[in-house]
Amino acid sequence: MRNNDLEAASALFANLMKQTPARLNVGRTGTRPLTHEMLKLRLDHAEAVDAVYGTVPAAFLEKFGLFAVETQYRDKDHYLKRPDSGRVLTPEAEEAIVLGCVMKPQVQIVVSDGLSAKAVEDNLDDILPALTDSLEANGLAAGTPFFVTGGRVGCMDDIGRLLQPETLVLLIGERPGLVTASSMSAYMCFRPQPGRKDSDRMVISNIHRGGTPPVEAGAHIGTLLRKMIEQQVSGVKLIV
């Protein structure tokens, strides 16, 4: 390859590396990665494990006026082995929700740690105020927001069975990777109830400061919820 071609290829590759946080061109010595790359990999892996097994402090939830309930997840080890346990609320949670929440709200906001407590701590300061402003701008009224410990996406249906909201948005920590442990998703559904399918739900994923900015995600959610109510559907049937 000529020198000019090598320079052009190097410039192209350097530009590609600016577009992604993926591990590219990390190099190696012999058959093993370079020491600093291996240390960075182990650090990122440790952050991912901490995010899964971490908890959201009660003081952090109080800052947003969120009361906490639990699913039947029991503990994180059981939660990882039995995802279905995170889809069903405990009897105590059902009682707290019925007593503490507005019934049949236009929009029900729920926050859950899911697979990353860190995602909640890193994004809620930005996404929740933006979401609240977005609902107001779209003429939508929210019910009583709360936090679910050990939630899976399917817990939306159990909550919908109790509160019968027109729409529900679940802000939940995503499975952490080696790029970030702070990623959150926003799942939305029109009239969630047992029996809903994944295709009935909408999702904005990869919400974090290096992906979809949490402020932008919060601002967009209100528009989607308004369209769900106008069209009386969500998921693949919604025209956006």
Side-chain angles (χ1 to χ4, degrees):
M1 185 177 290
R2 296 174 300 179
N3 286 340
N4 288 344
D5 293 337
L6 283 172
E7 290 175 3
S10 296
L12 176 62
F13 191 72
N15 185 50
L16 289 174
M17 290 183 66
K18 292 178 182 177
Q19 312 303 318
T20 175
R23 286 178 165 81
L24 300 175
N25 197 30
V26 295
R28 64 180 182 181
T29 176
T31 58
R32 68 173 180 82
L34 298 174
T35 300
H36 68 88
E37 290 295 339
M38 178 56 74
L39 292 175
K40 180 68 168 56
L41 181 69
R42 294 180 66 175
L43 175 63
D44 291 342
H45 183 262
E47 286 186 347
V49 173
D50 287 346
V52 171
Y53 284 91
T55 58
V56 180
F60 182 82
L61 299 178
E62 289 173 5
K63 184 171 69 171
F64 298 97
L66 301 173
F67 70 91
V69 298
E70 293 186 354
T71 65
Q72 298 184 14
Y73 80 108
R74 281 197 265 172
D75 55 52
K76 281 295 171 71
D77 287 333
H78 187 261
Y79 173 82
L80 295 174
K81 294 173 183 172
R82 292 287 304 271
D84 56 311
S85 66
R87 301 179 188 128
V88 184
L89 299 165
T90 63
E92 293 80 9
E94 291 189 2
E95 183 178 1
I97 291 171
V98 170
L99 291 175
C101 293
V102 173
M103 295 294 293
K104 299 183 177 180
Q106 201 168 25
V107 178
Q108 178 63 50
I109 299 173
V110 180
V111 183
S112 179
D113 49 2
L115 285 162
S116 175
K118 181 175 171 58
V120 175
E121 292 188 75
D122 286 355
N123 295 301
L124 207 60
D125 275 315
D126 290 329
I127 193 172
L128 197 54
L131 171 56
T132 302
D133 290 345
S134 176
L135 295 182
E136 184 177 346
N138 283 278
L140 302 177
T144 313
F146 59 91
F147 180 82
V148 177
T149 303
R152 294 277 187 177
V153 175
C155 75
M156 297 171 70
D157 296 343
D158 214 20
I159 296 168
R161 173 181 61 83
L162 292 173
L163 293 180
Q164 301 176 37
E166 276 197 86
T167 60
L168 191 152
V169 54
L170 173 66
L171 306 175
I172 187 168
E174 286 182 357
R175 185 186 309 276
L178 295 177
V179 172
T180 179
S182 300
S183 189
M184 168 180 276
S185 286
Y187 285 86
M188 294 153 277
C189 188
F190 178 74
R191 290 183 181 158
Q193 56 189 292
R196 285 295 195 194
K197 303 184 292 292
D198 289 341
S199 58
D200 294 322
R201 303 186 184 103
M202 318 285 295
V203 63
I204 300 174
S205 62
N206 201 34
I207 301 171
H208 58 93
R209 288 176 179 79
T212 302
V215 171
E216 288 188 19
H220 187 51
I221 291 170
T223 303
L224 288 175
L225 295 174
R226 175 176 54 78
K227 290 183 178 180
M228 289 180 197
I229 292 173
E230 289 173 350
Q231 299 177 32
Q232 301 284 288
V233 294
S234 57
V236 297
K237 296 178 182 176
L238 186 76
I239 300 173
V240 295

